[in-house]
Amino acid sequence: QGGILLHRDTVEEQKAKAEASRGVLADIAMKVLMSILFGARIAKFDLLRCIAGLASRITSWDTDCDKRLHRLVCYVHHSLHFRMIGYVGNIRDDIRLTVYADADFAGCKKSAKSTTGAHIAIQGTHTCFPLLGVSKKQDCVSASTPEAEIVAGAWTLRREGLPGLDLWDAILQRKNGMHFREDNQAMIRVCQTGRNPTMRHLNRTHGVCICQLK
């Protein structure tokens, strides 16, 4: 009497709801995304973010994903005249590996996870040649923008920057050195001091030790 009755959908009802919301492009979405990804990795780094976001929805593809994929294809079609270029005008002693790291905050509306962005290029006074672009959703939810930036910086250095440094030391036949670029002042200050009491949880949640970035 006066209680609340909870209704739990049966397996058949859940399947029916899933089929009703299933997008019409679900069967070919992976083929389209992987075809675009091939070109994006070579010459269109700006597409990596949206491709990664849609690829994570393959198993739960719905009508909203149809609209997003259509918008992505339209953007590709109307931006073919944009080209990513690289130029080299320095001798090998005057160029250096440059690593850029960035992150948004709670960029995924569904999981509230941030996205790590990385860009690596060979640069000098008259040289800028892009080598790599990465867009990757972070494993855990970050509590602030500086936290997301620290996680992005640590991942970029560990997975891309340091291995690339070994490669270019061998190619250039000298100790090349590396420039690490970051635009968040709070994150830069934390890396300079090696201390941040408000983020002591980073080692447990993200597996990041701030002292490694100092």
Side-chain angles (χ1 to χ4, degrees), residues 178-198:
M178 177 174 60
H179 284 156
F180 179 70
R181 306 292 188 185
E182 175 61 44
D183 63 350
N184 187 274
Q185 294 296 324
M187 184 269 194
I188 294 174
R189 185 58 182 167
V190 169
C191 293
Q192 289 174 342
T193 60
R195 297 177 297 175
N196 190 359
T198 62

Side-chain angles (χ1 to χ4, degrees), residues 31 99 109 151 161 190 202 214:
K31 297 180 181 178
V99 177
K109 296 181 180 180
V151 174
V190 169
L202 275 180
K214 186 176 179 180

Side-chain angles (χ1 to χ4, degrees), residues 153-206:
W155 186 92
T156 302
L157 287 174
R158 182 175 65 251
R159 296 293 298 272
E160 306 296 344
L162 296 179
L165 185 61
D166 291 338
L167 173 64
W168 283 93
D169 282 349
I171 292 176
L172 299 177
Q173 299 179 358
R174 65 178 177 85
K175 292 295 183 180
N176 183 47
M178 177 174 60
H179 284 156
F180 179 70
R181 306 292 188 185
E182 175 61 44
D183 63 350
N184 187 274
Q185 294 296 324
M187 184 269 194
I188 294 174
R189 185 58 182 167
V190 169
C191 293
Q192 289 174 342
T193 60
R195 297 177 297 175
N196 190 359
T198 62
M199 296 186 192
R200 291 191 296 266
H201 58 278
L202 275 180
N203 198 9
R204 179 180 291 272
T205 58
H206 291 280

Side-chain angles (χ1 to χ4, degrees), residues 142-153:
S142 297
S144 62
T145 299
E147 180 177 336
E149 296 277 359
I150 290 174
V151 174

Side-chain angles (χ1 to χ4, degrees), residues 25 28-37 51 69 72-73:
L25 301 177
I28 64 170
M30 181 58 74
K31 297 180 181 178
V32 176
L33 288 174
M34 294 303 102
S35 298
I36 300 176
L37 179 62
I51 293 174
L69 181 58
L72 172 61
V73 174

Side-chain angles (χ1 to χ4, degrees), residues 5-11 13-14 17:
L5 296 177
L6 299 178
H7 175 70
R8 178 176 295 177
D9 292 338
T10 63
V11 175
E13 290 175 341
Q14 292 177 356
K17 289 182 178 180

Side-chain angles (χ1 to χ4, degrees), residues 85-107:
I85 63 173
Y87 54 91
V88 178
N90 293 101
I91 60 175
R92 68 179 184 178
D93 293 337
D94 296 335
I95 61 176
R96 182 166 294 184
L97 187 68
T98 305
V99 177
Y100 296 86
D102 200 1
D104 61 6
F105 177 59

